[in-house]
Amino acid sequence: MQRIAIDMDEVIADAYHRFFEWYERDFNCRLDPDLCRGKYLRDVVPADQRTHVMKYAHTDGFFKDLLVMPDSQEVILALSKKYEIFIASAAMEFKTSLVHKLEWMNEHFPFIPWNNIVFCGSKSIINADYLIDDHIRNFKGFEGQGILFTSPHNVHEPWSPRVNNWREVAALLL
Amino acid sequence: MQRIAIDMDEVIADAYHRFFEWYERDFNCRLDPDLCRGKYLRDVVPADQRTHVMKYAHTDGFFKDLLVMPDSQEVILALSKKYEIFIASAAMEFKTSLVHKLEWMNEHFPFIPWNNIVFCGSKSIINADYLIDDHIRNFKGFEGQGILFTSPHNVHEPWSPRVNNWREVAALLL
């Protein structure tokens, strides 16, 4: 059985939405999603706000109760009949996220057992046939096939195969 | 560069010592280490204490400030000059352990960057040439060479190569 490793943030969990929410709370201003295309969020905000927003992902609660990416639950459930599914999140950078990420998985993807959840740093350690991720840097050293999941920050990056949503993942892999 | 993945509990961190400590605290009685040879700790204690001791590893604090296994720091530092080192702990089973394990790594193995720490369930997901672990079950599906690190519970299990301490790891891999 082939194995698919799947990233969390921006692939199954909507961390952008949380960033926008907190930014609006702190600066009373709504970021324009169109301005985020091809950029990291920290580079979209005014320079004097950068230090503040770069703390978000390190702040307790940022990864709690994130929205689930559309169609990800149904498609991953269908994939799990045909492939071995692992969730692989580079969570080690964000110490406060670990428990929230685990709770989130239990809540929204209860059909994925804890044995199949991995928190790591470098994804070169992942032994899988496919890795669905929004960061090309995570494909470096990964020995399987990287599948780029479109996110505003990566729209201009050249990579194939690329999928724009979970329906396209289903079309590619089911 | 070849890659070595190294388990935490009973390989670099002394979780047995913590178990003995808590057992003595709770039952005012010291377990005989000789009785633990070839058995899991839960099977060493009287049957009516089993449910209680099986909660230890799930209790907040169990994995905090564990003793470091003798010589592991020096040997792993030397190995890190010749190999890529990853620490791979099946920590997902113990939700309260995640942050303590990460803090413990930062304190005792500061030369191992967070990118090289992995919390997982099944170790079949680990892509490495060697895995040093005290559980033969963790070698199942692991595609590299499993190296069994002796622990009281595994003394009767047949496996080769086996190492009895970190000096023997150095002799085998350096």
Side-chain angles (χ1 to χ4, degrees):
Chain A
M1 197 181 240
Q2 284 195 303
R3 180 183 286 170
I4 305 173
I6 301 170
D7 178 36
M8 286 183 76
D9 300 321
E10 293 317 298
V11 176
I12 60 173
D14 193 345
Y16 262 57
H17 181 266
R18 174 60 40 82
F19 185 99
F20 279 50
E21 215 175 49
W22 283 22
Y23 185 82
E24 191 172 348
R25 173 198 72 188
D26 294 347
F27 298 103
N28 201 25
C29 157
R30 193 167 293 185
L31 283 176
D32 179 351
D34 281 344
L35 289 181
C36 303
R37 292 175 62 81
K39 292 180 182 174
Y40 285 107
L41 291 171
R42 60 175 177 267
D43 299 322
V44 174
V45 305
D48 62 338
Q49 296 173 354
R50 200 159 296 156
T51 312
H52 180 83
V53 302
M54 284 181 72
K55 286 180 195 148
Y56 282 174
H58 297 274
T59 303
D60 195 28
F62 184 82
F63 293 96
K64 194 175 158 72
D65 304 327
L66 294 182
L67 295 178
V68 180
M69 296 291 270
D71 304 319
S72 59
Q73 288 154 311
E74 309 85 286
V75 174
I76 292 174
L77 183 60
L79 288 169
S80 73
K81 316 288 184 200
K82 198 177 157 192
Y83 299 88
E84 205 182 353
I85 303 294
F86 277 76
I87 302 298
S89 175
M92 289 304 171
E93 193 176 355
F94 310 113
K95 202 165 73 174
T96 61
S97 78
L98 300 174
V99 168
H100 290 151
K101 279 175 178 274
L102 208 49
E103 287 170 348
W104 189 90
M105 281 302 305
N106 290 340
E107 184 178 348
H108 299 290
F109 292 85
F111 57 90
I112 297 180
W114 62 265
N115 311 58
N116 289 32
I117 300 174
V118 186
F119 292 160
C120 59
S122 163
K123 290 193 180 172
S124 67
I125 195 67
I126 301 294
N127 177 19
D129 298 287
Y130 302 97
L131 170 59
I132 304 176
D133 205 294
D134 67 315
H135 285 288
I136 287 176
R137 64 164 186 262
N138 286 334
F139 300 146
K140 199 185 160 193
F142 173 68
E143 290 176 7
Q145 173 66 58
I147 298 174
L148 188 64
F149 196 94
T150 295
S151 179
H153 68 82
N154 70 30
V155 291
H156 301 316
E157 298 202 52
W159 189 269
S160 177
R162 171 191 284 273
V163 286
N164 292 302
N165 52 56
W166 277 95
R167 290 286 142 216
E168 290 190 16
V169 176
L172 185 69
L173 293 171
L174 283 176
Chain B
M1 198 181 237
Q2 284 195 303
R3 179 183 287 170
I4 305 174
I6 301 170
D7 178 37
M8 285 183 77
D9 299 321
E10 293 317 297
V11 175
I12 59 172
D14 193 345
Y16 262 59
H17 180 266
R18 174 59 41 81
F19 185 99
F20 278 52
E21 217 175 49
W22 283 21
Y23 185 82
E24 192 172 345
R25 174 198 71 188
D26 294 347
F27 298 104
N28 202 26
C29 158
R30 193 167 293 184
L31 284 176
D32 180 352
D34 282 342
L35 288 180
C36 303
R37 292 175 62 81
K39 291 180 181 172
Y40 285 106
L41 290 170
R42 60 176 177 266
D43 299 321
V44 174
V45 305
D48 62 340
Q49 297 173 353
R50 200 159 294 157
T51 312
H52 181 82
V53 302
M54 283 181 71
K55 285 181 196 149
Y56 283 175
H58 297 274
T59 303
D60 195 28
F62 185 82
F63 293 95
K64 194 175 158 71
D65 303 327
L66 293 182
L67 296 178
V68 180
M69 295 291 269
D71 304 320
S72 59
Q73 288 153 310
E74 308 86 287
V75 174
I76 292 174
L77 183 60
L79 287 169
S80 73
K81 315 288 184 200
K82 199 178 157 190
Y83 299 88
E84 203 181 355
I85 302 294
F86 277 76
I87 302 299
S89 175
M92 289 305 171
E93 193 176 355
F94 309 114
K95 202 166 72 174
T96 61
S97 77
L98 299 174
V99 168
H100 289 150
K101 279 176 177 273
L102 208 49
E103 287 171 346
W104 189 91
M105 281 303 304
N106 289 340
E107 184 178 347
H108 299 290
F109 292 85
F111 56 89
I112 297 180
W114 62 264
N115 311 56
N116 289 32
I117 300 175
V118 187
F119 292 160
C120 59
S122 163
K123 290 193 180 172
S124 68
I125 195 67
I126 301 294
N127 176 19
D129 299 287
Y130 302 97
L131 170 59
I132 305 176
D133 205 295
D134 66 315
H135 286 288
I136 287 177
R137 65 164 185 261
N138 286 334
F139 301 145
K140 198 183 161 194
F142 173 68
E143 291 177 7
Q145 172 66 59
I147 299 174
L148 188 64
F149 196 94
T150 295
S151 178
H153 68 82
N154 71 29
V155 291
H156 301 315
E157 298 202 52
W159 189 269
S160 179
R162 172 191 282 273
V163 286
N164 292 302
N165 52 57
W166 277 96
R167 289 286 142 216
E168 290 190 17
V169 176
L172 185 70
L173 293 172
L174 284 175

